[in-house]
Amino acid sequence: MIGERYVNGAVLIGLIALPLWALSADEVFTITLTTRAAILALAAVGLNIALGIGGMVSFGHAVFFGLGGYAMGILAFHAQTFSPLDFGLFALPGTKSMPVIWLVATVVSAFAAWIIGLLSLRTAGVYFIMITLAFGQMFFYFAISWGAYGGEDGLSIYVRNSFVGLDTLMPIQFFGLCFALLCLALLLQWRLRRSPFGLALNAARQSTERVQSVGLNPRQLKLLAFVISGAITGVAGALFADLNRFVSPTMFSWQLSGELIILTIIGGVGRLMGPVIGAAIFITLEHWLGGLTDFWHVWLGTILLAIVLFWRGGVIGLLTGKEGPHV
Amino acid sequence: MRASRAEPGTGKRLMPSILIIEQILNGLQFGVMLFLMAAGLTLIFGVMGLINLAHGSLYMVGAFAAAWVAGATDSFILAMAAALAAAAAAGALTEILVIRRLYSAAHLDQVLATFALILIFSEGTRFVFGSFPLFLDVPQQLSGSILLPGGIQYPLYRLTLIGIGLLVALGLWLLTARTRIGIQIRAGENDREMIAALGVDITRLYTLVFALGAGLAGLAGALVGAIQSVQVGMGEPVLILAFVVIVIGGIGSIRGAFIGSILVGLTDTLGGVFLPEFFKLFMQSDAATQTGSALASMAVYILMGIVLIRCPTGLFGARA
Amino acid sequence: MSEPVLSTHGLRKSFGALTATDNVSIDLRRGEIHAIIGPNGAGKTTLIAQISGSLASDAGRVELEGRDVTSLGTEARARAGLGRTFQISALAMEDTVFENVLLGAVGATSGAWALFRSVIHDRNLTDHAMQALERVGLAGAHRTRCADLSHGQRRQLEVAVALTLRPRLFVMDEPTAGLGAEGSRAMTAFLDGLRVEAPILLVEHDMDAVFALADRISVLVYGRIIATGTIDDIRASEEVREAYLGEPA
């Protein structure tokens, strides 16, 4: 069996090496695929904090992914049409600057996560799953019916947003940005898990009574984790929209929420690199199986079923021979 | 499943009271169809403790079976029977192959496995029937409108749906309250070991309950299929609304599922029609339509939020 | 006499037609071990849940050091100085013994809102946690996962977590259950010394432990306190004899 630390190192090195190789071999599409994987991994890191450490089975993380996407779409739309964002009392110009967009994506998703968390965390178990799923659907329909920003058709952004000192139109440079943010989020997850907060959150997943009896409030712990989780997934959404230069209500879809959970489980829920491995496998499957057959979801479903019924530790569990946290 | 908002033949500028009654009927129709979905979900959760995301797939299976049989035989009755049978059979088969391994599993495992089942069902159906929607016609005898007291023209088929929904609700109530199997079901909710000890074959009971829920979902899919197109992915939006219903009504409660369904059906339908009109009272027409319909799309979820704040386990849920 | 550390006044809780506790008024004084005994189903666990805040009472008051805490939840009562151990262990089973006591240390000191500081590099926390383990004799097992502990060790760990809180009083639900004769004696000796730090409200089935430890005993039958007093008082009480032996004295 391999130590988890080596698995983690190998994954990160692989994630850098692949696009660099693709750059030298002029395989632009591979760079784009890897970027996609990095972004999905970032979104799943967000989910992993809520799901893997806090034990909150959120079936609505697409909400934050979509909000991040629309934060990008709306700001860039106003910048490219030179129309101000009208808030009634005051108006703000749009922007094409990535850092500003990321900040807005973070704040908006965190706020949404706070509201959704406040309501959903009044319950637990199956109720929590259903409620988060329902809120996801609410945002989906809202995006469809809100015609100002494209409604069902979504919004196209003509030119990728900018980052000081970089040419974001170069695929490898944009990948570099996404990879850097992913590493930052991984660092955050790692620090969180080792902090007093992470210790308490992890205990709250296992025993509410225990946490309460040492004077801590499990609901507040989970709420903060949910907010952090949503904010990270929101940034991923902004990057995803930038990658495609397009946002549409499908970013809010329940399928996306489901896929984020799948990613995390395949890789290894609650493990530091679980989301990254999961995203890499997911993109590989999508690309490879999708190339073989139009019906690749059947195979994805079968694999997933096999994992749930027979193979619960995910890839990291298999490689390290250690059981992961139970959610 | 959503009642279409501009019924042909019912002009918008009729007397408001007629419009209101008509929309209430639409909401009821939507609600009772939701109930067919929600009843199965809540029964399956109440008895087996399982959250079944693939319930929407069974709805779809019913609709496809009905469309296929109707195309082959031209008989609406046969089509409905086929829908019930196909969905119940698909349900029983899935229960035996997959679901029964999940009863004691964590909720996350149940969610994942039944999500996997959605993928398999959806793509399997796409493989067999293709990506284009099928159409199931309203039968000759039930097409057209009838005149209700008060001078309201209302489509006969929709009225039939309301009738069927209410009949099923009554039947389910009789089943759980008055029959042997209902007593076993209720006992199973309270204490698995106890009824196993009493000699009830719990494995068979579970398969039966699951098939019953699946059959109801299939029936709903087929009935609604006649006023909408039959296509892959039609089940999940309904499934999620059924979840909203259950959250509002309280998990495990058939009565809660009924009340919740009607509330959600009415809120969604009336909100969609009247919120844009309401905003027209003090906004420009375009903006009012947009704001109103955007808000209407959120109405049922806002309703859910309000119920959650007041009672976290739903209106008729067991107190945690 | 100084005011009691804990007192309840007329606590009641019913579940449907069943009255689990009825008009329970007890107190716990500084330096004492007050044992609650009674037959199975007498309402002992319900009473503990009401006192520690995990179950809301239908009527009555709970006071900690003269302060009314009836409306407070479990975590607020823990912060007010109530250290509880559970009958059925409520430990973080996937975590190690050490992580479980660390959690107690976190709850007792800094709180859990430090997001970026490393727990295991905080000497204050780790020393605090390790001390508690040493006191109950579990230091050697600190790397063991809770799930791999014996029932007795889980009881010891429960007590250790409560110790990290440095509570004003302990509420313990059967701390010697599952310990075996040897372990039970060691735990009894430990609790004996603990009462000078903070008084203990002790629910216990093991009568040897009760008679060895208790300064006072209250007998709970069908949710009511039928007698409170010293060991000798209880031994001599006719009501107790009747309740336990079913014979009129």
Side-chain angles (χ1 to χ4, degrees):
Chain A
M1 291 298 150
I2 313 164
E4 187 165 338
R5 169 182 312 205
Y6 297 106
V7 175
N8 292 350
V11 171
L12 276 189
I13 291 171
L15 200 58
I16 306 176
L18 185 65
L20 287 180
W21 165 81
L23 183 68
S24 65
D26 209 20
E27 296 259 3
V28 177
F29 187 59
T30 305
I31 302 181
T32 306
L33 274 187
T34 324
T35 311
R36 220 173 115 83
I39 294 171
L40 281 185
L42 178 62
V45 168
L47 178 66
N48 201 25
I49 290 173
L51 177 69
I53 309 179
M56 290 169 272
V57 184
S58 164
F59 215 117
H61 255 54
V63 168
F64 314 120
F65 201 67
L67 283 174
Y70 271 89
M72 173 285 193
I74 291 170
L75 287 172
F77 170 78
H78 284 284
Q80 79 186 8
T81 55
F82 300 102
S83 56
L85 252 160
D86 192 355
F87 287 97
L89 295 175
F90 60 100
L92 289 174
T95 177
K96 296 284 284 179
S97 156
M98 281 191 190
V100 178
I101 288 169
W102 297 342
L103 184 69
V104 173
T106 309
V107 172
V108 170
S109 331
F111 181 70
W114 183 62
I115 300 287
I116 293 178
L118 267 183
L119 283 169
S120 317
L121 285 170
R122 293 176 65 82
T123 67
V126 181
Y127 275 107
F128 186 85
I129 300 172
M130 292 183 185
I131 292 162
T132 48
L133 188 55
F135 278 123
Q137 201 74 348
M138 174 176 97
F139 278 87
F140 177 74
Y141 283 123
F142 182 80
I144 284 183
S145 61
W146 190 250
Y149 296 109
E152 202 163 355
D153 300 328
L155 270 178
S156 282
I157 301 304
Y158 307 131
V159 182
R160 186 168 288 153
N161 295 304
S162 58
F163 191 92
V164 183
L166 290 180
D167 178 3
T168 54
L169 292 176
M170 298 275 292
I172 193 72
Q173 298 206 12
F174 184 60
F175 168 79
L177 270 179
C178 297
F179 184 75
L181 284 176
L182 173 62
C183 288
L184 208 64
L186 286 169
L187 185 72
L188 178 77
Q189 185 192 338
W190 180 69
R191 295 296 308 219
L192 272 187
R193 179 63 187 82
R194 291 158 48 97
S195 71
F197 172 72
L199 182 81
L201 180 64
N202 192 49
R205 170 173 57 80
Q206 301 169 60
S207 169
T208 306
E209 278 182 320
R210 166 50 59 209
V211 175
Q212 285 177 326
S213 70
V214 301
L216 301 172
N217 183 332
R219 196 187 289 178
Q220 283 174 5
L221 291 166
K222 288 185 173 183
L223 183 59
L224 178 60
F226 198 69
V227 168
I228 295 173
S229 166
I232 294 175
T233 304
V235 174
L239 290 175
F240 191 75
D242 235 333
L243 176 69
N244 302 323
R245 277 168 283 147
F246 177 64
V247 275
S248 75
T250 54
M251 282 186 79
F252 284 118
S253 71
W254 64 271
Q255 286 97 334
L256 201 130
S257 295
E259 282 171 7
L260 287 179
I261 299 182
I262 294 181
L263 291 185
T264 314
I265 300 297
I266 292 182
V269 65
R271 315 308 261 274
L272 179 61
M273 284 291 171
V276 183
I277 296 182
I281 291 176
F282 188 82
I283 295 290
T284 311
L285 279 180
E286 183 181 53
H287 181 62
W288 174 63
L289 283 176
L292 290 181
T293 160
D294 282 344
F295 303 102
W296 80 281
H297 272 122
V298 171
W299 301 109
L300 178 67
T302 313
I303 293 170
L304 181 61
L305 207 51
I307 289 179
V308 174
L309 294 179
F310 309 113
W311 199 41
R312 261 313 297 280
V315 171
I316 295 187
L318 191 78
L319 291 176
T320 61
K322 276 198 207 145
E323 226 180 309
H326 291 262
V327 178
Chain B
M1 177 148 218
R2 202 165 285 247
S4 70
R5 276 159 191 162
E7 269 304 310
T10 56
K12 264 197 146 181
R13 292 287 156 221
L14 287 176
M15 269 169 60
S17 68
I18 289 186
L19 180 71
I20 291 173
I21 292 173
E22 197 180 288
Q23 293 304 334
I24 287 177
L25 284 172
N26 280 345
L28 269 182
Q29 178 258 305
F30 184 29
V32 294
M33 290 297 110
L34 266 178
F35 171 69
L36 293 189
M37 281 291 279
L41 273 177
T42 206
L43 205 56
I44 288 167
F45 184 83
V47 179
M48 288 95 100
L50 177 99
I51 172 168
N52 179 26
L53 294 184
H55 210 65
S57 297
L58 299 163
Y59 176 89
M60 174 188 72
V61 165
F64 271 91
W68 187 68
V69 169
T73 66
D74 255 353
S75 159
F76 190 74
I77 297 290
L78 277 183
M80 290 304 122
L84 256 172
L93 193 68
T94 350
E95 200 274 344
I96 290 167
L97 290 178
V98 180
I99 300 286
R100 64 171 52 162
R101 287 165 224 280
L102 298 171
Y103 290 141
S104 54
H107 291 317
L108 177 61
D109 286 3
Q110 299 178 345
V111 162
L112 286 168
T114 53
F115 184 77
L117 286 174
I118 296 182
L119 296 177
I120 294 170
F121 268 113
S122 293
E123 294 288 300
T125 309
R126 205 195 304 277
F127 181 73
V128 176
F129 290 96
S131 296
F132 292 104
L134 302 182
F135 292 96
L136 178 63
D137 289 327
V138 173
Q140 200 71 59
Q141 307 90 306
L142 295 177
S143 61
S145 301
I146 60 164
L147 193 66
L148 295 181
I152 303 162
Q153 288 278 338
Y154 197 73
L156 178 59
Y157 184 70
R158 286 177 184 272
L159 215 55
T160 315
L161 293 192
I162 297 178
I164 293 175
L166 293 178
L167 273 178
V168 170
L170 184 69
L172 272 179
W173 177 73
L174 286 175
L175 178 79
T176 48
R178 295 290 163 85
T179 66
R180 217 181 133 73
I181 192 132
I183 291 166
Q184 291 178 358
I185 288 173
R186 278 183 299 154
E189 287 182 35
N190 296 327
D191 193 340
R192 280 177 215 203
E193 284 82 22
M194 189 58 199
I195 76 157
L198 289 174
V200 176
D201 183 349
I202 199 138
T203 315
R204 222 191 53 193
L205 178 69
Y206 283 5
T207 310
L208 211 65
V209 170
F210 199 86
L212 173 69
L216 290 179
L219 179 65
L223 290 171
V224 172
I227 42 180
Q228 280 185 345
S229 59
V230 173
Q231 57 188 328
V232 173
M234 65 190 286
E236 281 70 35
V238 183
L239 171 86
I240 297 172
L241 270 181
F243 280 158
V244 174
V245 164
I246 293 178
V247 170
I248 289 175
I251 299 184
S253 161
I254 299 260
R255 186 167 54 143
F258 187 75
I259 306 280
S261 299
I262 302 299
L263 272 177
V264 167
L266 287 175
T267 307
D268 191 66
T269 307
L270 298 181
V273 176
F274 295 109
L275 275 176
E277 298 296 321
F278 172 72
F279 279 99
K280 274 180 196 157
L281 296 178
F282 48 84
M283 281 172 87
Q284 278 185 324
S285 179
D286 277 2
T289 309
Q290 188 166 82
T291 314
S293 60
L295 258 183
S297 71
M298 300 168 75
V300 294
Y301 306 98
I302 294 171
L303 174 71
M304 177 183 82
I306 294 169
V307 171
L308 268 178
I309 291 169
R310 309 230 20 154
C311 31
T313 52
L315 297 175
F316 297 94
R319 295 283 165 268
Chain C
M1 206 193 78
S2 69
E3 99 190 310
V5 179
L6 167 79
S7 57
T8 73
H9 306 273
L11 280 187
R12 200 185 68 216
K13 179 75 194 175
S14 33
F15 302 98
L18 175 83
T19 304
T21 57
D22 191 8
N23 198 23
V24 175
S25 302
I26 51 168
D27 62 3
L28 180 66
R29 298 172 197 148
R30 225 162 285 284
E32 77 166 347
I33 293 182
H34 186 161
I36 312 265
I37 62 170
N40 274 326
K44 295 179 302 247
T45 298
T46 302
L47 178 61
I48 286 216
Q50 286 175 279
I51 290 173
S52 58
S54 52
L55 202 59
S57 301
D58 297 337
R61 280 194 338 271
V62 179
E63 285 176 11
L64 285 183
E65 298 189 309
R67 175 179 161 215
D68 190 337
V69 296
T70 314
S71 59
L72 300 183
T74 310
E75 55 262 32
R77 291 189 201 185
R79 280 197 297 272
L82 190 150
R84 178 191 189 186
T85 72
F86 293 84
Q87 183 192 8
I88 298 162
S89 296
L91 299 162
M93 285 296 174
E94 293 170 16
D95 291 354
T96 62
V97 166
F98 189 59
E99 284 167 323
N100 271 277
V101 269
L102 257 183
L103 179 69
V106 165
T109 55
S110 51
W113 301 112
L115 302 186
F116 302 109
R117 220 183 46 228
S118 166
V119 179
I120 48 167
H121 292 115
D122 186 330
R123 284 300 295 268
N124 282 335
L125 288 177
T126 53
D127 287 353
H128 185 91
M130 209 60 197
Q131 263 169 16
L133 280 183
E134 275 158 10
R135 291 188 64 189
V136 299
L138 259 185
H142 74 279
R143 286 171 188 274
T144 312
R145 266 166 59 110
C146 278
D148 301 329
L149 294 178
S150 69
H151 281 288
Q153 286 175 311
R154 287 180 194 172
R155 288 291 136 75
Q156 290 173 298
L157 181 52
E158 283 275 350
V159 173
V161 177
L163 283 178
T164 58
L165 302 176
R166 298 200 178 112
R168 315 300 296 255
L169 75 154
F170 291 96
V171 176
M172 296 189 176
D173 201 349
E174 302 202 19
T176 69
L179 280 178
E182 181 80 15
S184 191
R185 265 194 299 279
M187 180 63 84
T188 306
F190 178 72
L191 296 181
D192 198 16
L194 192 60
R195 79 182 91 192
V196 295
E197 275 173 52
I200 304 172
L201 187 71
L202 180 70
V203 166
E204 189 53 78
H205 264 128
D206 176 358
M207 284 304 156
D208 290 341
V210 170
F211 288 138
L213 289 171
D215 298 296
R216 284 191 301 155
I217 296 176
S218 289
V219 183
L220 193 66
V221 177
Y222 294 126
R224 286 173 164 275
I225 298 282
I226 59 167
T228 297
T230 63
I231 296 175
D232 292 337
D233 295 342
I234 296 299
R235 279 204 168 118
S237 159
E238 288 178 10
E239 285 100 331
V240 175
R241 192 171 293 236
E242 193 173 340
Y244 262 87
L245 305 174
E247 59 186 32

